[in-house]
Amino acid sequence: MYKRQHVITATSLLRKATDLDRFCSEAYAVLGEAMVRKYLLWDGDPTFLEEARENADKALSLDSRSALAHTALGFANHLSGHLEDAQKEYRLAMQCDQDEWFAHRLLGAIYAREGNFKSATGLLQRAIGLKPTHIASYDHLYNVLVRLDRYEEALETADSGIAAGRKHLKRTPDDVDARLHTAMLYARLGRSDEAQAEVDAALEIAPRDGFTCYHAACVHSLMAGPDDLLRAIDLLRNARDRGYFMRGELTRNTDLDILRSLPEFSALEEG
């Protein structure tokens, strides 16, 4: 789970680490990813992406085979719209370390957005195999399999993701990211009561966090009842007001499609 306070703490500790050891490639690489997270959580300030690239480049100057640095550089390019450069870096990360799960997940996301669902499937399956506690990967894979008309496999993936989420949350109940994506999988299967319970728990854990509000809005949008749609709009406003950078997601996220005819949603896109 990447909350604002987590990113503040992480960046502070990582800066201290680079001050103590200016030749630690891993510290620069992880700081690079942290700055991309900061970009997402603080109104999309492009200077954070610039700093992410600087740290990733520094890491690669110290260790050209740093998979973490290639992934961080790819992530920064990804969010700034340089998708060819991002794909190149993700592939380099996987060449350097076949177990670099986040590169698989992010490259899979690009392929899915481009409509290359077959390639996305393999990458997301690999990401799940490498990090089965990252419930978002199951959710992404579910959507890709639906687009391929592989409905039975999609349902199996959702069931597997829910089972993995429940198991993980027993050990780590404050993992809001896992809780929210478990809720999404429940909502996709029409299990609204269980989805609502997970959303409520997530908002109780992190009531002021923009990331949590945004993803809770997605769950309510998927549940699609009249009250859910109003709640989704309120949560999107809260996410915006609390600094979560939504501009690209509001345009591209198909989970929000049912909201697009509402004037309140149009106002959010324009704002």
Side-chain angles (χ1 to χ4, degrees):
M1 165 58 188
Y2 299 98
K3 293 169 60 177
R4 290 168 70 104
Q5 187 57 47
H6 293 164
V7 174
I8 291 170
T9 302
T11 52
S12 175
L13 291 172
L14 288 163
R15 290 189 203 284
K16 289 178 182 177
T18 58
D19 288 341
L20 290 169
D21 183 355
R22 296 189 177 276
F23 299 97
C24 181
S25 172
E26 185 173 359
Y28 286 106
V30 178
L31 181 56
E33 182 184 335
M35 294 309 300
V36 182
R37 301 286 180 186
K38 194 170 183 180
Y39 169 83
L40 282 170
L41 294 171
W42 274 268
D43 284 331
D45 186 337
T47 61
F48 297 145
L49 291 185
E50 293 171 14
E51 188 173 346
R53 291 191 186 92
E54 289 171 2
N55 282 289
D57 285 337
K58 177 64 174 177
L60 289 169
S61 73
L62 295 167
D63 178 6
S64 63
R65 292 191 55 78
S66 170
L68 292 174
H70 282 298
T71 299
L73 185 55
F75 201 9
N77 288 332
H78 190 159
L79 292 184
S80 58
H82 298 94
L83 296 185
E84 289 186 9
D85 292 335
Q87 291 180 57
K88 175 185 174 184
E89 294 300 330
Y90 295 150
R91 292 190 190 102
L92 286 169
M94 290 185 286
Q95 288 173 19
C96 294
D97 182 359
Q98 294 180 1
D99 293 339
E100 190 3 53
W101 75 273
F102 198 39
H104 286 81
R105 218 279 281 157
L106 291 171
L107 184 56
I110 289 179
Y111 283 157
R113 284 269 166 88
E114 291 180 342
N116 185 354
F117 301 121
K118 184 176 180 180
S119 295
T121 298
L123 288 162
L124 292 169
Q125 288 172 332
R126 176 67 172 156
I128 289 170
L130 292 169
K131 194 173 179 67
T133 58
H134 185 71
I135 310 306
S137 296
Y138 297 88
D139 192 47
H140 287 295
L141 180 57
Y142 171 91
N143 287 323
V144 167
L145 291 169
V146 167
R147 296 297 295 271
L148 289 169
D149 296 331
R150 292 162 59 177
Y151 298 110
E152 185 173 347
E153 291 175 71
L155 292 173
E156 290 172 356
T157 297
D159 286 339
S160 296
I162 288 168
R166 292 175 66 175
K167 181 179 179 181
H168 176 64
L169 289 167
K170 284 182 180 179
R171 296 192 303 268
T172 316
D174 63 345
D175 187 336
V176 175
D177 183 80
R179 199 169 287 283
L180 289 166
H181 281 95
T182 301
M184 286 188 191
L185 290 168
Y186 277 133
R188 295 192 197 286
L189 298 183
R191 297 165 63 175
S192 296
D193 289 346
E194 290 154 302
Q196 184 68 63
E198 295 298 346
V199 165
D200 289 345
L203 289 168
E204 185 176 349
I205 294 166
R208 301 180 184 279
D209 182 65
F211 173 97
T212 303
C213 290
Y214 173 77
H215 287 86
C218 292
V219 177
H220 278 284
S221 180
L222 289 169
M223 292 194 288
D227 291 340
D228 290 307
L229 302 188
L230 294 175
R231 181 61 173 147
I233 292 294
D234 285 341
L235 286 162
L236 288 174
R237 289 196 191 103
N238 288 343
R240 176 201 60 195
D241 294 345
R242 292 165 186 170
Y244 187 70
F245 183 56
M246 301 190 300
R247 188 177 65 207
E249 289 301 314
L250 287 178
T251 302
R252 297 189 299 264
N253 192 339
T254 57
D255 292 338
L256 302 174
D257 282 353
I258 196 170
L259 303 175
R260 297 191 189 283
S261 62
L262 300 178
E264 297 91 341
F265 187 84
S266 299
L268 283 166
E269 288 186 301
E270 292 168 2

